[in-house]
Amino acid sequence: MNFPILSTIIFLPFVGALFLFLFSQKDESKSSIYISLFTSIANFLLVLFLWYSFDKNESGFQFIEEAIWINGFIKFKLGIDGISILFIVLTAFITPICIISCINSIKKRLKEFLIAILILETFIIGVFCSLDLIIFYLFFEAGLIPMFLIIGIWGGPRRVYSAYKFFLFTLLGSVLMLAAIIFIYWSVGTTDYTEIYKLKIQKEYQYLLWLAFFSSFAVKTPMWPVHTWLPDAHVEAPTAGSVILAAILLKMAGYGFLRFSLGMFPIASEYFTPLVFVLSIVAIIYTSLVALMQEDMKKLIAYSSIAHMGFVTLGIFTFNKQGIEGSMFQMLSHGLISAALFLCVGVLYDRTGSRMIKSYGGVVNYLPKFSLIFIIFVLGALGLPGTTGFIGEFLVLVGTFKKNYLAAILASTGVVLCAAYMLWMAKRVIFGELNKTISKLKDINYLEGSILLILCLLSIIFGFYPEPIMNTMDLTVNVIIDNHQNELATNLTSNK
Amino acid sequence: MENLNLILPEITLFFGICLSLMVGVFFKNSFQITMKLSILILLGVIYLILTSWSGDKQIFLDSFINDKFSNYFKVLILISSIFVFFSSNQFIKDKKLFKFEYPIIIMFSVLGMFFMLSANDLILFYLGLELQSLALYVLAAIDRDNTISSEAGIKYFVLSALSSGLLLYGCSLLYGFTGTTNFNEISNNLNSENIGAIFAMVFILVGLAFKVSAVPFHMWTPDVYQGAPTSITNFFAVVPKATGLAVIIRFMDIPFKNILHEWQTILIFIAIASMILGSVAAIGQKNIKRLLAYSSISHMGYALAGVATGTYSGYTSTVIYITIYVIMNLGAFACLYLMKVDGTYTEKIDDLSGLSKQKPLLAFSFLILFFSLAGIPPLGGFFAKFFVFMAVIESELYALAVIGLLTTVISAFYYLKVIKIIYFDDVRVSFDDIRNVSIKTTIFLSCLVLSLYFISPSFINIILDGLFI
């Protein structure tokens, strides 16, 4: 038996949180920052080691851990492949950034906030590692509790409404998934993902089960028309909360589509592709138009997140290599760029207490370093070649062209609209007429500058050299597509 | 000569009660002494049950059964009674309710429950039920100078007597149409063409549904919960519910086994109605005891959903559900004993506002308990619901499963409301410091079990292994 590295990665933040909970000193805020930072960075290093020792030439799951969990029913099974490792890296990378970002922005009850963030990290990594549907559901749902508290305690004025909306929307979507998981258990005889993959789910059940899973993932993605919780949650959440929400939590749904909807219900996925395409394209165009009219920067970025996730779902359901790899890349790049954009807004918000576009103007005159970085991220978000955003969107569009011309053309307009609202916001905030209040502001400090710079460098490096990421997921994506094609072929022959 | 060892726990309990009664009468200020004595007696009975059991056996012309099922529930109600005594001590002192009869009456009702659980005969069952109910009537009105408490007692007495009457009528019909009072023989003589017996089944089910406060026989619950002193409500919310469900399982499993299709429909309706009403009606509540009353109604709905499957895995899931329910409620009520403002106990939910800034640990316990009541993973309450829905979907009762899952979302709303008031709102009143180890131990144990349940979610299943054939 090898060292259980996945369990260690999952539960290390939890242990850190426990330590933080039991640890109380007079100088609480400083020591708790150190403890949580230490835990999360240690976890990140472990994850990097995991990525390094991950065998890219093996198609199956690696680092598998198994233990009896519920007697006779369910095994506690963990394992990773080329898709999940990337999300784990993203999660472990974003968490320390969140912790650093809250040094200045969280004014009250810092210790509790850090506990919530660390526990959330445990649950999110758990989602990406679990190979059993019940374990997956457990982690998927458990994340609601810390996120509810993060929005509700440290959020803005309408935080209670937003926290409720977030919690109840996601819970409603997920309970149907639970029913579906239990049904799968009784019809297939196991909830072990790798077993289900081999045993296959009967064709006539797939449609309803797909819809049940879809209800959960669509809320989480979020897809139009169940996206309305996201702007509220983003606007009211504190900066670190928004970063986690945009960068990681939304990716759980994309991951879910890729792993569970495609993997377990290939026939239903093919059958419902038009539905997903229509909803994604509506999301891309509609939310871009809505974003154009936003006066609150956070809300604008929230709507742009919905549009970007529209590209992700579009790409996943093309079932070809370009589309799926594009979506994967888009998710990772969105994880970096939207996190950075929220951090940028947080930087402004900490200084002036306003997120409204109209209270800024001419920021470039007094905060030149900040403005440079902000513009880079704006360009990254609209998919400028040379940033990660470009590769993702480009691949998704190529994949969509293969599948459906009309969808691709409509989705392309989203790219243009994205440029419109992003650049217009940049123009009004960074350039434009000088607002008097701006002149009192200080440029970004050492800490803020360093985390933004890291994000900036990463999004440019991977924008020019995406090979490490592509390389990692290549084989797994091939397996997913092959499996999908085989399933459809056998289905076709059995129909004849 | 019958083997009296099989009813040794009951005999011990009975003589223990008599002993405490004597102690109570002949000593002055004997409340503390009887309380401690009763806890000792209950512990002793647990020991007897755990050591004396040796396989399923029936005595007294098969009217008394000593099996794993009844023993599991006996231990469960004994442990929960001990925790009720343990945590309510301070409350009783402050409320000046220290009548020595309090622990004695509770033990009488426990004795009644023992006979209900072990009954394999209609007559013995009814005697046990009456002993239990009579003790409960007295308990509901124990704060006799308080109008609300007396009203609650009268209300409970009138409605409960009515339901006992219906139940007795059902028993007599059953005897008339099957010609026997023994459960096993009833089971043999019963089939779905026996219309009279089906009527009897409906009457008995109504009586039992009243005892576990399932909709539409739930009307007494909020009033009695609110009116009775918290220590009594604590007992009411936990022990009679567990017994009632156990008895329902026993009835459905043995006498009514052959008319599954007849009672299944009724139970599905009762379960769905309880889940919906319990979660919708709780939304507007301002009193935390009323809120817990409605929450227990909806919990009974989930527990009955497990029974409604009519399968052994369903019954097992109900037993697990009720066990976790007991743990959650013991913790939640223990938290109520700490809600004291300026020397008086408060029940208003609004008074909890901003608790997290004042008493972070109590607030955190509320957080764990209420998220667990709402059934959010990874807490214990989730696994309770999980096993029930596992069984329900196995029996292909999809409508019941989907409605049940959707009502968990509705009920999440009001549990979240309490969390919201505790964590998001500002401080309004400041709570007194209560330094009482026993209350805090109860809360701590309950939270510990609920939050660590996910490590080995099948440990109750292992205990229950072989419970139903």
Side-chain angles (χ1 to χ4, degrees):
Chain A
M1 175 81 196
N2 293 326
F3 179 67
I5 187 161
L6 290 182
S7 310
T8 317
I9 289 170
I10 293 177
F11 290 106
L12 185 68
F14 184 74
V15 172
L18 210 64
F19 196 61
L20 215 54
F21 180 71
L22 300 172
F23 187 84
S24 63
Q25 257 193 351
K26 271 197 177 165
D27 187 21
E28 260 186 6
S29 56
K30 245 196 185 145
S31 53
S32 42
I33 285 269
Y34 287 139
I35 294 174
S36 52
L37 208 56
F38 175 76
T39 328
S40 58
I41 288 177
N43 210 29
F44 179 56
L45 293 178
L46 265 179
V47 169
L48 280 186
F49 172 72
L50 184 74
W51 195 12
Y52 169 75
S53 47
F54 179 81
D55 184 1
K56 288 166 186 134
N57 298 320
E58 205 191 301
S59 61
F61 289 96
Q62 303 178 25
F63 303 103
I64 291 180
E65 291 170 25
E66 261 186 275
I68 290 174
W69 191 53
I70 300 183
N71 239 15
F73 279 117
I74 292 149
K75 278 180 293 184
F76 189 85
K77 193 168 179 184
L78 304 174
I80 51 169
D81 64 358
I83 306 175
S84 36
I85 177 77
L86 291 173
F87 287 112
I88 296 169
V89 172
L90 181 70
T91 313
F93 172 66
I94 292 290
T95 313
I97 287 183
C98 282
I99 291 171
I100 296 174
S101 83
C102 57
I103 293 176
N104 293 321
S105 58
I106 302 292
K107 301 276 188 307
K108 55 170 187 181
R109 295 155 101 183
L110 184 65
K111 188 175 132 188
E112 279 110 320
F113 188 83
L114 295 171
I115 293 176
I117 294 259
L118 287 177
I119 289 184
L120 194 58
E121 189 188 1
T122 289
F123 293 148
I124 296 170
I125 295 181
V127 164
F128 294 130
C129 288
S130 43
L131 281 188
D132 189 288
L133 293 177
I134 302 286
I135 314 271
F136 169 77
Y137 180 82
L138 200 75
F139 284 123
F140 193 74
E141 280 287 276
L144 288 180
I145 300 176
M147 203 58 212
F148 175 75
L149 296 174
I150 287 175
I151 298 174
I153 301 179
W154 294 277
R158 282 174 77 227
R159 57 185 200 270
V160 175
Y161 170 78
S162 311
Y164 265 77
K165 204 170 176 181
F166 165 75
F167 194 99
L168 294 177
F169 255 70
T170 13
L171 185 63
L172 185 64
S174 305
V175 289
L176 293 177
M177 182 166 79
L178 178 62
I181 290 173
I182 297 176
F183 182 82
I184 289 173
Y185 179 81
W186 290 117
S187 65
V188 183
T190 173
T191 50
D192 183 340
Y193 174 73
T194 46
E195 294 286 312
I196 296 172
Y197 211 69
K198 282 180 215 143
L199 293 169
K200 317 281 184 218
I201 293 167
Q202 273 167 296
K203 193 182 142 200
E204 57 266 36
Y205 297 143
Q206 282 196 11
Y207 302 105
L208 266 178
L209 291 175
W210 188 90
L211 282 175
F213 273 75
F214 179 72
S215 77
S216 172
F217 296 147
V219 171
K220 205 94 180 188
T221 316
M223 293 181 87
W224 185 86
V226 282
H227 65 281
T228 55
W229 63 269
L230 185 77
D232 283 308
H234 266 316
V235 170
E236 298 306 331
T239 306
S242 298
V243 171
I244 288 202
L245 194 59
I248 318 170
L249 279 183
L250 302 187
K251 309 303 176 288
M252 286 170 19
Y255 171 77
F257 273 130
L258 204 51
R259 164 127 309 154
F260 300 109
S261 298
L262 246 60
M264 295 191 304
F265 322 116
I267 299 163
S269 297
E270 187 74 28
Y271 180 81
F272 285 111
T273 302
L275 173 75
V276 178
F277 269 33
V278 169
L279 291 182
S280 307
I281 287 167
V282 171
I284 292 171
I285 296 175
Y286 169 79
T287 51
S288 299
L289 290 173
V290 176
L292 212 48
M293 294 317 295
Q294 293 307 314
E295 301 189 328
D296 183 326
M297 283 189 279
K298 259 190 161 178
K299 224 169 187 167
L300 188 143
I301 301 168
Y303 277 109
S304 91
S305 289
I306 303 170
H308 282 124
M309 291 310 283
F311 277 104
V312 171
T313 44
L314 197 66
I316 290 172
F317 282 84
T318 57
F319 311 119
N320 54 40
K321 203 172 168 194
Q322 289 83 356
I324 291 179
E325 291 197 349
S327 314
M328 279 294 298
F329 210 85
Q330 173 81 341
M331 281 194 264
L332 298 171
S333 116
H334 181 253
L336 293 177
I337 291 173
S338 70
L341 282 172
F342 278 117
L343 286 171
C344 287
V345 176
V347 166
L348 286 178
Y349 182 74
D350 289 341
R351 284 169 173 63
T352 63
S354 166
R355 291 183 306 254
M356 292 297 152
I357 292 175
K358 65 169 183 277
S359 47
Y360 298 95
V363 171
V364 70
N365 296 319
Y366 290 92
L367 289 79
K369 285 184 232 156
F370 169 78
S371 304
L372 174 69
I373 292 177
F374 189 66
I375 291 292
I376 291 174
F377 288 123
V378 164
L379 294 177
L382 59 84
L384 187 80
T387 60
T388 47
F390 171 72
I391 299 174
E393 272 177 17
F394 175 73
L395 283 176
V396 168
L397 287 176
V398 169
T400 318
F401 257 110
K402 267 189 177 173
K403 186 102 179 168
N404 189 330
Y405 278 104
L406 188 63
I409 291 167
L410 287 171
S412 312
T413 60
V415 181
V416 180
L417 285 169
C418 179
Y421 62 74
M422 274 297 175
L423 288 177
W424 194 30
M425 178 191 68
K427 185 225 148 209
R428 285 180 292 171
V429 173
I430 302 293
F431 307 109
E433 229 167 87
L434 184 63
N435 193 321
K436 288 219 175 82
T437 49
I438 303 297
S439 56
K440 291 178 196 124
L441 304 183
K442 282 185 195 140
D443 208 344
I444 41 176
N445 59 27
Y446 178 67
L447 211 60
E448 293 162 339
S450 56
I451 54 177
L452 286 175
L453 203 65
I454 292 171
L455 287 167
C456 186
L457 284 178
L458 280 177
S459 77
I460 291 173
I461 289 171
F462 287 124
F464 279 107
Y465 185 65
E467 200 48 32
I469 293 176
M470 292 300 189
N471 204 354
T472 311
M473 67 186 170
D474 198 46
L475 205 60
T476 314
V477 172
N478 278 343
V479 170
I480 290 176
I481 294 166
D482 286 348
N483 176 61
H484 185 78
Q485 304 297 359
N486 290 343
E487 277 295 297
L488 289 186
T490 46
N491 181 41
L492 220 61
T493 46
S494 68
N495 276 359
K496 279 172 191 169
Chain B
M1 184 63 197
E2 300 277 3
N3 183 2
L4 286 183
N5 276 339
L6 291 177
I7 59 163
L8 198 60
E10 281 80 3
I11 295 173
T12 320
L13 184 59
F14 177 71
F15 281 108
I17 294 169
C18 294
L19 178 70
S20 347
L21 196 60
M22 289 302 130
V23 170
V25 173
F26 289 110
F27 282 81
K28 264 191 185 167
N29 297 331
S30 51
F31 175 73
Q32 287 302 338
I33 305 171
T34 42
M35 198 76 159
K36 279 175 190 134
L37 190 63
S38 345
I39 292 179
L40 274 181
I41 292 165
L42 295 182
L43 281 173
V45 175
I46 292 180
Y47 174 77
L48 275 179
I49 291 176
L50 291 180
T51 50
S52 69
W53 184 67
S54 55
D56 297 3
K57 282 188 186 119
Q58 304 187 355
I59 48 168
F60 302 137
L61 303 172
D62 290 349
S63 70
F64 186 95
I65 181 165
N66 185 333
D67 59 354
K68 197 174 177 183
F69 179 73
S70 63
N71 282 331
Y72 177 82
F73 271 97
K74 280 175 190 170
V75 173
L76 182 68
I77 62 174
L78 284 171
I79 291 175
S80 37
S81 307
I82 289 171
F83 273 109
V84 170
F85 283 152
F86 203 49
S87 57
S88 65
N89 213 332
Q90 176 82 31
F91 177 84
I92 293 166
K93 242 184 263 170
D94 290 343
K95 278 267 179 183
K96 305 213 163 39
L97 282 174
F98 33 61
K99 305 185 175 77
F100 70 85
E101 293 92 340
Y102 166 74
I104 293 168
I105 297 171
I106 285 191
M107 286 202 290
F108 264 119
S109 79
V110 169
L111 184 64
M113 288 170 201
F114 270 33
F115 282 104
M116 284 166 78
L117 289 169
S118 278
N120 197 34
D121 186 284
L122 287 175
I123 295 172
L124 188 67
F125 162 72
Y126 190 75
L127 286 175
L129 181 93
E130 276 305 286
L131 178 58
Q132 181 244 192
S133 309
L134 211 59
L136 292 182
Y137 304 149
V138 181
L139 278 178
I142 200 163
D143 191 6
R144 60 182 174 199
D145 301 327
N146 183 330
T147 358
I148 304 176
S149 176
S150 313
E151 187 196 317
I154 299 279
K155 213 175 248 169
Y156 183 61
F157 170 65
V158 172
L159 288 171
S160 189
L162 180 70
S163 84
S164 295
L166 289 176
L167 201 138
L168 187 59
Y169 184 49
C171 291
S172 61
L173 277 178
L174 199 56
Y175 173 67
F177 281 95
T178 57
T180 171
T181 56
N182 185 286
F183 284 1
N184 300 99
E185 286 170 36
I186 291 173
S187 178
N188 295 335
N189 297 352
L190 204 59
N191 55 50
S192 50
E193 276 133 46
N194 196 337
I195 301 293
I198 290 167
F199 264 90
M201 179 271 294
V202 174
F203 279 115
I204 290 175
L205 202 54
V206 167
L208 292 175
F210 178 89
K211 303 290 176 204
V212 296
S213 72
V215 177
F217 312 103
H218 64 284
M219 277 78 159
W220 59 276
T221 323
D223 292 335
V224 174
Y225 268 51
Q226 189 187 5
T230 311
S231 54
I232 309 293
T233 313
N234 190 356
F235 184 77
F236 267 61
V238 172
V239 182
K241 296 275 164 70
T243 317
L245 274 172
V247 168
I248 291 182
I249 294 175
R250 172 88 78 192
F251 263 95
M252 299 308 144
D253 185 29
I254 301 173
F256 298 142
K257 197 171 192 166
N258 295 335
I259 49 171
L260 176 99
H261 289 287
E262 279 71 19
W263 58 257
Q264 193 176 33
T265 330
I266 302 177
L267 268 185
I268 290 175
F269 168 77
I270 289 180
I272 289 179
S274 306
M275 292 189 280
I276 293 178
L277 188 125
S279 27
V280 174
I283 291 174
Q285 299 306 323
K286 298 214 160 24
N287 181 306
I288 194 151
K289 274 157 79 182
R290 280 187 93 84
L291 182 103
L292 285 173
Y294 283 108
S295 123
S296 81
I297 292 174
S298 75
H299 280 292
M300 285 305 126
Y302 297 111
L304 287 175
V307 186
T309 58
T311 59
Y312 288 130
S313 62
Y315 298 153
T316 315
S317 75
T318 301
V319 177
I320 295 168
Y321 195 97
I322 195 70
T323 312
I324 294 174
Y325 165 87
V326 164
I327 297 170
M328 293 190 289
N329 268 277
L330 285 174
F333 275 95
C335 286
L336 299 195
Y337 296 131
L338 295 179
M339 289 174 62
K340 195 175 174 193
V341 182
D342 298 333
T344 50
Y345 286 92
T346 173
E347 291 166 8
K348 272 187 263 162
I349 295 177
D350 285 343
D351 284 348
L352 285 169
S353 73
L355 187 68
S356 64
K357 285 164 202 155
Q358 247 183 58
K359 291 198 159 55
L361 279 179
L362 178 60
F364 189 65
S365 321
F366 264 112
L367 182 85
I368 290 181
L369 289 165
F370 275 69
F371 271 124
S372 179
L373 283 166
I376 308 292
L379 300 167
F382 166 73
F383 292 99
K385 290 204 167 79
F386 172 72
F387 286 120
V388 166
F389 288 120
M390 210 63 181
V392 169
I393 292 178
E394 187 191 12
S395 315
E396 302 184 346
L397 304 169
Y398 300 122
L400 182 60
V402 170
I403 293 174
L405 286 166
L406 291 180
T407 52
T408 58
V409 181
I410 303 175
S411 59
F413 179 76
Y414 63 81
Y415 294 120
L416 284 185
K417 204 176 82 177
V418 180
I419 307 281
K420 172 222 141 197
I421 287 170
I422 292 174
Y423 271 89
F424 304 171
D425 290 357
D426 291 324
V427 182
R428 281 208 351 204
V429 293
S430 61
F431 280 16
D432 298 359
D433 266 326
I434 297 180
R435 286 167 204 276
N436 185 314
V437 185
S438 54
I439 298 178
K440 286 176 185 163
T441 319
T442 313
I443 299 176
F444 176 73
L445 285 178
S446 157
C447 290
L448 195 71
V449 172
L450 293 175
S451 48
L452 296 184
Y453 195 79
F454 75 94
I455 291 177
S456 170
S458 53
F459 90 93
I460 300 183
N461 305 41
I462 295 166
I463 298 173
L464 294 180
D465 195 32
L467 198 58
F468 306 97
I469 303 155

